[in-house]
Amino acid sequence: MLHNIVKYRVLLFMLLPPTIVFFINCYIPMFGLFIAFKNINYVDGIMGSPWAGLDNFRFLFATSDALRVTVNTVAYNVVFIISGLILSVSLAVAVNEVTGRLASRIYQTVMIMPNFLSMVVVSFIVYAFLHPEYGFLVKHILPLFGYSSVNAYMHPNAWPYILWLTKMWHSVGIGSVIYLAAITGISEELYEAAVMDGASKWQQITRITLPLLTPIMVILTILNLGGIFRSDFGLFYHVTLDSGALRSTTDVIDTYVYRGLIQLNDLGMSSAANFYQSVIGFFLVLGANSLARKLNSETALF
Amino acid sequence: MILHLFFIAFSLACILPVLLIVSISLTNEKALTLQGYKFWPEQIDLSAYQYLFSHSQTLAKAYGVSLTVTVAGTFLAVLLIALYAYPLYRKDFPFKKAFNFYLLITMLFSGGLVPFYLLYVNFLDLKDSLIALILPGLSNAFYIFITRTFFQQTVPEEMIESGKLDGASEWRIFFQLVLPISLPVLATIALFTTLMYWNDWFNSMLFINNTDLYSLQYVMIQMIRQAEFFKNQLAGSGVALLVQEAVPTESLRMAMVIVSIGPILFIYPFFQKYFTKGLTIGAIKG
């Protein structure tokens, strides 16, 4: 042990700075989860504040907030995961069929571009379409269907669709890159053999490409399932302009925790929701992983 | 042919929304209020940009903040990622398993926002400090695993061995042999990190109150939330009343967006040649 430490001291020294950064950013906050069981007041400080037992959780689950944000978070994520998977894989398969290197490169470049824009910029784009007076949709498209001015930022029921479209626009292109990489890795011989046997393009896709993509689809879906209690904060906070009128359909655990912490300064409720999110998230990852291992030991993450 | 039509339509769907923003930023304010936002300005009007560049102390400062954070953050992040990935790649390194595990835990379990916030604000006292904008982006286990895999597949062990035989130190082997042939993955990680820092608003929102330290993204958030913000911020106090009428509010917002995404579009082609190679090799077998 000691011998090895001395022998590999340079490599250990290389590891030191990143290890410290991970300790600060990831490990200390993990231990900080106990805050959810404290009744924090700023006079006594975080360590000195009295223990509150399960009071914070009792308050959180006594409100209708907990149910609403949980349902919203999970429902959005399930829809995003399923449609994201289908659209990204289809897109990857389609791009792969494009003949002509230049065209294929151009399409790929353009497809990825939306992902390069921050959610703040995306919120401006959505706003440019939905602005109640000047918005492109509101001013030029909706009148064609006989609607006059509509303020979308007041209509919660429209937002599941708006957010879905925004999310897909932002993420499908980049999501397909990893599948495209996997497709490029498939051996040409398989396709040549299939062509010899008279397989059509469609048969090649369904019998060769998709089955070979399945392991990576399973892995990525597991990763995503583990994150089902987390959401794209920017999407739900900025794109909705944090509009109070929309909360029934747009409030998710992350926005709830943020609002509790920063805007309302309600540390008890916020830290309870935070704890709930972290712990369930952890069990989801473990569960999803063991499920994957049962299906196929090769595809599990660990 | 149908495939091409589909992709042309899809590409347009990706680009047109951005062009709408460009068009709005170039449209005369009066035309905007009369005709609404359109994809094609009838008359090009540069007054939003003129206003932005001539009056904007805030813009200049925000650009400075974003640029500093992005450059420093990206440099540090890539360095730290490579420093962690390299020992994990070395087959002979006996503590490999432990350090792998240390990373894996961070991908599984997270403390979440509240403890993170309290740590930064109450214990590290980083409120209103640029460090609070840089430090959170420095720990990404996923990029480390990608980089390690890239090393495994492209850096031959014999090279390390022969380096040692020639009497090169570990540092020398790392900086002069391993890193130069790993440019594709380093460039890919650098691109993603650059984007992350340039596009970050979350840490500004959490930690920054001092207007001098607002990042570009955070200034934009202020702009879309409160139309009055930049009239107050951009114009000097005395001049404010005089110019208020002439401020092209709507087009100015969109001009700001264009100014903020400019550098990204500029940087992308530069990285693109490495992009596919770096990501593909690194990610396929994670």
Side-chain angles (χ1 to χ4, degrees):
Chain A
M1 180 79 177
L2 196 66
H3 166 75
N4 275 333
I5 291 179
V6 175
K7 185 174 171 200
Y8 290 98
R9 62 186 185 283
V10 180
L11 291 184
L12 285 168
F13 193 71
M14 285 180 178
L15 283 162
L16 192 64
T19 304
I20 293 172
V21 170
F22 273 98
F23 190 74
I24 295 173
N25 282 338
C26 305
Y27 280 86
I28 299 179
M30 279 183 218
F31 296 114
L33 280 172
F34 74 86
I35 292 164
F37 301 97
K38 283 224 163 187
N39 196 354
I40 301 280
N41 62 64
Y42 284 100
V43 182
D44 299 326
I46 290 164
M47 293 300 177
S49 294
W51 292 96
L54 295 175
D55 279 357
N56 290 331
F57 294 91
R58 228 168 270 142
F59 287 129
L60 173 68
F61 290 106
T63 63
S64 60
D65 295 351
L67 183 66
R68 185 195 57 193
V69 296
T70 306
V71 169
N72 279 344
T73 309
V74 173
Y76 275 110
N77 272 320
V78 167
V79 175
F80 287 168
I81 291 171
I82 296 172
S83 50
L85 177 71
I86 297 173
L87 293 176
S88 301
V89 171
S90 320
L91 204 57
V93 171
V95 166
N96 191 52
E97 295 300 325
V98 170
T99 45
R101 272 198 57 161
L102 185 66
S104 158
R105 269 190 88 114
I106 293 175
Y107 298 151
Q108 285 181 46
T109 309
V110 174
M111 255 161 50
I112 299 169
M113 195 205 62
N115 195 257
F116 283 17
L117 308 177
S118 74
M119 269 300 162
V120 179
V121 170
V122 173
S123 76
F124 274 83
I125 292 176
V126 174
Y127 183 76
F129 280 97
L130 298 180
H131 188 292
E133 288 163 67
Y134 317 130
F136 181 76
L137 275 181
V138 175
K139 189 91 177 179
H140 301 292
I141 305 292
L142 288 180
L144 297 178
F145 299 94
Y147 294 98
S148 57
S149 136
V150 179
N151 186 353
Y153 294 95
M154 300 297 288
H155 290 282
N157 291 334
W159 282 83
Y161 305 101
I162 298 169
L163 291 177
W164 180 80
L165 198 62
T166 310
K167 176 76 181 177
M168 291 302 123
W169 183 78
H170 194 241
S171 65
V172 162
I174 195 89
S176 69
V177 167
I178 201 146
Y179 294 110
L180 196 61
I183 294 176
T184 346
I186 298 174
S187 153
E188 272 301 314
E189 289 167 25
L190 285 173
Y191 292 103
E192 281 160 19
V195 172
M196 296 277 252
D197 292 339
S200 67
K201 211 71 257 174
W202 182 249
Q203 282 171 325
Q204 289 174 39
I205 290 170
T206 51
R207 303 275 170 81
I208 301 174
T209 314
L210 291 182
L212 286 174
L213 284 185
T214 309
I216 196 160
M217 290 197 251
V218 172
I219 274 263
L220 290 182
T221 307
I222 290 167
L223 269 175
N224 291 332
L225 282 176
I228 212 166
F229 257 52
R230 305 187 177 284
S231 19
D232 187 337
F233 179 82
L235 179 71
F236 293 95
Y237 190 75
H238 291 313
V239 176
T240 62
L241 301 184
D242 190 28
S243 160
L246 303 178
R247 289 224 173 104
S248 59
T249 59
T250 62
D251 206 10
V252 289
I253 303 176
D254 290 270
T255 50
Y256 185 80
V257 172
Y258 174 80
R259 241 192 1 264
L261 178 69
I262 304 291
Q263 292 174 357
L264 311 175
N265 233 328
D266 183 352
L267 209 57
M269 206 83 105
S270 187
S271 55
N274 182 102
F275 184 89
Y276 167 63
Q277 183 185 39
S278 290
V279 170
I280 295 194
F282 172 67
F283 285 110
L284 281 169
V285 178
L286 283 187
N289 186 63
S290 65
L291 187 75
R293 195 157 27 195
K294 259 191 198 127
L295 290 175
N296 176 355
S297 59
E298 289 277 294
T299 55
L301 274 179
F302 45 88
Chain B
M1 195 58 220
I2 296 172
L3 210 56
H4 279 288
L5 282 179
F6 167 77
F7 274 107
I8 289 166
F10 190 83
S11 303
L12 284 178
C14 291
I15 294 177
L16 280 179
V18 181
L19 289 185
L20 178 64
I21 303 282
V22 175
S23 159
I24 297 168
S25 75
L26 291 172
T27 308
N28 179 276
E29 188 76 4
K30 272 221 179 70
L32 278 182
T33 49
L34 287 176
Q35 302 167 349
Y37 299 160
K38 286 165 67 174
F39 277 97
W40 198 252
E42 265 150 44
Q43 251 185 328
I44 303 268
D45 182 342
L46 291 174
S47 53
Y49 289 93
Q50 275 165 3
Y51 192 88
L52 209 51
F53 288 114
S54 57
H55 287 80
S56 181
Q57 276 281 310
T58 308
L59 179 71
K61 276 184 195 153
Y63 238 93
V65 169
S66 286
L67 210 63
T68 312
V69 168
T70 305
V71 171
T74 303
F75 175 76
L76 280 175
V78 173
L79 182 68
L80 291 184
I81 286 167
L83 281 175
Y84 204 116
Y86 176 66
L88 291 189
Y89 143 84
R90 286 279 296 266
K91 281 220 173 71
D92 56 327
F93 184 57
F95 307 106
K96 208 166 61 177
K97 259 207 163 121
F99 281 97
N100 252 323
F101 187 70
Y102 186 77
L103 277 193
L104 196 63
I105 294 287
T106 67
M107 291 172 90
L108 287 180
F109 201 60
S110 111
L113 181 64
V114 178
F116 172 73
Y117 177 81
L118 293 176
L119 170 73
Y120 269 56
V121 171
N122 288 10
F123 285 94
L124 302 177
D125 198 20
L126 291 175
K127 198 140 190 138
D128 281 331
S129 127
L130 287 187
I131 298 173
L133 301 182
I134 294 174
L135 190 56
L138 296 182
S139 45
N140 189 316
F142 189 62
Y143 290 160
I144 292 182
F145 285 128
I146 288 186
T147 309
R148 180 206 57 186
T149 311
F150 188 94
F151 287 161
Q152 282 167 349
Q153 300 191 345
T154 52
V155 182
E157 271 167 74
E158 297 78 28
M159 200 185 77
I160 311 280
E161 290 304 318
S162 69
K164 274 190 197 159
L165 287 178
D166 289 345
S169 72
E170 291 279 10
W171 289 108
R172 214 181 142 109
I173 293 173
F174 176 68
F175 279 111
Q176 296 195 337
L177 295 177
V178 176
L179 290 192
I181 61 170
S182 305
L183 268 184
V185 78
L186 298 181
T188 307
I189 304 282
L191 170 66
F192 280 126
T193 322
T194 304
L195 275 175
M196 184 217 24
Y197 277 114
W198 186 261
N199 283 341
D200 175 61
W201 38 265
F202 189 62
N203 294 310
S204 297
M205 223 162 86
L206 283 179
F207 302 122
I208 304 297
N209 284 334
N210 178 356
T211 47
D212 284 347
L213 296 179
Y214 279 5
S215 67
L216 215 47
Q217 304 288 332
Y218 196 57
V219 171
M220 285 201 288
I221 293 174
Q222 303 289 339
M223 278 173 51
I224 199 167
R225 292 291 166 79
Q226 51 210 79
E228 290 305 305
F229 171 81
F230 55 115
K231 281 188 191 167
N232 305 331
Q233 286 293 317
L234 296 185
S237 53
V239 209
L241 286 173
L242 286 174
V243 289
Q244 217 161 37
E245 280 306 301
V247 179
T249 318
E250 297 293 328
S251 48
L252 191 53
R253 291 179 186 206
M254 302 305 177
M256 181 85 187
V257 174
I258 299 304
V259 168
S260 87
I261 60 179
I264 293 175
L265 301 180
F266 175 75
I267 218 169
Y268 180 59
F270 175 73
F271 282 99
Q272 214 223 353
K273 64 174 176 178
Y274 297 114
F275 181 68
T276 339
K277 204 172 159 197
L279 194 70
T280 313
I281 298 180
I284 271 190
K285 190 92 187 72

